[in-house]
Amino acid sequence: MAHLRTGRRPSLAVPAVLSLTASLGFLPAAASAAPAPAATAAAPAATAPAGAASAAAGPGLSYVVNTRTDHRTLASVRREIGRDGGTLVAGYDRIGVLVAHSANPDFARLMRAVPGVASAGATRHTPLASASTTDLGAPQMLGGAQAAAAEAAATGDQDPLEPLQWDLPAIKADRAHQRTLGSPDVTVGVIDTGVDDTHPDIAPNFDRGASVNCVSGRPDTTDGAWRPGASESPHGTHVAGEIAAARNGVGMTGVAPGVRVAGIKVANPDGYFYAESVVCGFVWAAEHHVDVTNNSYFTDPWYFNCTTDPDQKALVDAVDRASRYAQRRGTVNIAAAGNESYDLAADSLTDPQSPNDGTASDRVIDPRRCFDIPTQLPGVVTVAATGAKGLKSSYSNYGRGVVDIAAPGGDSTAYQPPAPPATSGLILGTLPGGKWGYMAGTSMATPHVAGVAALIKSTHPHASAALVTALLYAEADATPCTDPYDINGDGKVDAVCQGPANRNGFYGRGMADALAAVTY
């Protein structure tokens, strides 16, 4: 997945137009959500001569320090951060996650030795003042002729571009809309690259009070801080429209066009989703009554975080604490499976792109000890992508026991062409500046599931996160394995699916079902 669900490397079997989403869909790169008071946020270097001396030897990096949550431990660890050459940036006390900056190359090692600290590690390899950029490409813009043809084909109360949205009938969302569009009391938080809330299809349903910029690791509620910059990825805006583009006679229609959507920006200007930002995003969602979060990225800089490595273990610990906190507070967390065609249930995988903000190299990992976060964290709903023919998308990751559910994410039109009047096998969505365009990836599948979860919450307003998740699975349309799976028709099997129709590696419990979400 910008670095979105595919990371920064395009899937080999997907046309170039899909690589954006792979990047955009799997972006790589509790606490009191309030940051630490200024009086305790930093400790003078003079209090720790040894730490200060070694601090000058390395670049300034960001760290997460995971501790017990009792007051005494937290106070002690805060003091040690300063003594070891660090500056406290934010404290999420309820989950015991502290975010710090330090130029001391020994900072993480020293913090791991502090009583009460469970894990500590650097969240990046690139210095804080990074000047690197990543060319994510551009989505396929909707042309004027396509828009005019779609509008001519629209019937009844359809929005003008809805005839191009083959993905809505694929999950029965068009039929669900005849019953309800969803409740404005339900909010979906798009933890992503930012959302353009001025877009005419997003503005009617935008929840400003639940929106924030978490890029620094602490919440910034400055008006508009949640929007993407002019040079930043449009990914989050596309996702937001897929979920909740309003039924307003303009443009397209979201899966749940009556619910609200919030922008929780966690990707920095270079397109990285670092752990401290993701932690901030989940905690913010938990404490601002966000019912569902959409996570179409992986937490940088590691595609897979191995718990045998102390730095990577700390990242898993921090993001896991934050996502679990959100779940306990009633939030359903939904994440993209990724766009590398990996079998996530295999005995081993080769990760060629980590660390993606440093010097990447091929490394063989054990998926039982190395995790894509938040995708593979406990309680998170993991989504695989399908194309217009209902088959697993050529690029989608899969794996029995890992993939929970499937939804339309698009595929090459050559592999899975849609039925007319739709013309593209990709997914139509909103783009910054009042535009619309196509993307594809598990990044695009995830918002379909987030929209269905929002419809379930609308129908069952008092349901817990666990119950919403259970209904999401129970109401999915069981989808048997595609066997053999030869998506490009070259006579060679491209992936092997295992398991029964209601629990297999390609489709999990099956295809998300929006009609069932508003019926039962």
Side-chain angles (χ1 to χ4, degrees):
M1 327 186 127
H3 314 355
L4 303 170
R5 254 341 287 155
T6 145
R8 299 175 184 274
R9 187 168 69 90
S11 301
L12 297 179
V14 185
V17 68
L18 299 188
S19 67
L20 173 65
T21 317
S23 218
L24 291 182
F26 209 177
L27 291 179
S32 162
T40 61
T47 63
S54 44
L61 297 179
S62 184
Y63 295 82
V64 287
V65 180
N66 305 302
T67 80
R68 294 197 299 260
T69 57
D70 61 281
H71 176 74
R72 178 174 294 182
T73 297
L74 287 163
S76 173
V77 174
R78 286 172 187 263
R79 289 192 296 269
E80 289 298 329
I81 285 174
R83 291 170 181 160
D84 290 336
T87 300
L88 186 65
V89 174
Y92 297 98
D93 293 355
R94 291 194 182 95
I95 58 172
V97 177
L98 305 179
V99 178
H101 291 170
S102 180
N104 182 352
D106 292 324
F107 181 76
R109 179 182 62 80
L110 292 170
M111 292 306 303
R112 287 193 284 266
V114 174
V117 171
S119 57
T123 67
R124 64 190 67 200
H125 291 78
T126 301
L128 289 165
S130 169
S132 63
T133 58
T134 299
D135 180 7
L136 299 176
Q140 186 180 97
M141 302 295 292
L142 181 69
Q146 290 177 300
E151 186 168 1
T155 60
D157 60 353
Q158 282 189 320
D159 277 338
L161 301 181
E162 194 170 342
L164 302 178
Q165 295 182 262
W166 57 265
D167 48 306
L168 294 184
I171 59 169
K172 306 175 193 172
D174 54 335
R175 295 162 63 188
H177 296 165
Q178 296 172 16
R179 294 173 177 261
T180 179
L181 302 180
S183 169
D185 294 330
V186 173
T187 294
V188 180
V190 177
I191 301 181
D192 212 299
T193 61
V195 173
D196 178 9
D197 57 301
T198 69
H199 193 289
D201 250 345
I202 295 175
N205 290 335
F206 193 72
D207 188 339
R208 300 172 73 87
S211 297
V212 70
N213 184 316
C214 272
V215 172
S216 70
R218 59 189 293 170
D220 174 5
T221 57
T222 304
D223 187 61
W226 50 77
R227 296 174 191 145
S231 62
E232 293 181 290
S233 167
H235 186 263
T237 302
H238 195 281
V239 164
E242 288 182 64
I243 296 168
R247 173 62 70 80
N248 58 354
V250 174
M252 59 177 284
T253 299
V255 172
V259 307
R260 305 181 78 192
V261 64
I264 302 176
K265 184 176 182 179
V266 299
N268 74 8
D270 297 327
Y272 291 99
F273 290 58
Y274 287 121
E276 65 271 26
S277 308
V278 174
V279 167
C280 173
F282 277 124
V283 174
W284 176 270
E287 298 188 345
H288 289 80
H289 310 293
V290 171
D291 300 286
V292 181
T293 65
N294 186 99
N295 303 271
S296 294
Y297 59 90
F298 66 77
T299 304
D300 294 298
W302 304 93
Y303 195 125
F304 297 99
N305 295 264
C306 297
T307 54
T308 52
D309 177 276
D311 282 299
Q312 295 168 46
K313 179 181 184 297
L315 306 190
V316 175
D317 190 5
V319 177
D320 182 47
R321 290 180 182 212
S323 68
R324 286 178 189 258
Y325 178 61
Q327 291 163 24
R328 292 195 301 270
R329 295 290 294 259
T331 304
V332 178
N333 298 318
I334 300 174
N339 302 341
E340 303 293 340
S341 302
Y342 288 150
D343 179 357
L344 297 176
D347 291 334
S348 65
L349 290 171
T350 298
D351 174 8
Q353 57 183 304
S354 301
N356 59 15
D357 67 347
T359 302
S361 61
D362 286 0
R363 59 174 187 149
V364 178
I365 61 98
D366 180 349
R368 291 162 296 192
R369 294 180 174 84
C370 304
F371 306 105
D372 169 2
I373 57 176
T375 293
Q376 291 177 276
L377 293 177
V380 174
V381 177
T382 303
V383 183
T386 58
K389 295 298 183 184
L391 305 178
K392 183 187 87 69
S393 298
S394 55
Y395 53 80
S396 181
N397 288 352
Y398 59 101
R400 188 179 184 189
V402 180
V403 167
D404 294 313
I405 197 166
D411 203 351
S412 166
T413 308
Y415 298 163
Q416 300 194 60
T423 58
S424 173
L426 312 188
I427 303 297
L428 186 67
T430 47
L431 297 174
K435 300 175 183 177
W436 294 264
Y438 293 99
M439 292 183 178
T442 55
S443 280
M444 278 58 258
T446 305
H448 286 79
V449 177
V452 172
L455 291 175
I456 292 173
K457 183 67 174 179
S458 298
T459 306
H460 303 279
H462 302 297
S464 66
L467 179 55
V468 171
T469 301
L471 290 171
L472 183 67
Y473 295 159
E475 294 170 356
D477 283 337
T479 306
C481 280
T482 304
D483 185 22
Y485 178 77
D486 175 16
I487 195 66
N488 57 5
D490 65 356
K492 299 178 181 178
V493 172
D494 297 308
V496 176
C497 178
Q498 296 180 323
N502 63 347
R503 199 69 181 270
N504 62 58
F506 276 13
Y507 312 107
R509 274 78 168 185
M511 184 75 77
D513 188 330
L515 180 59
V518 301
T519 303
Y520 305 110

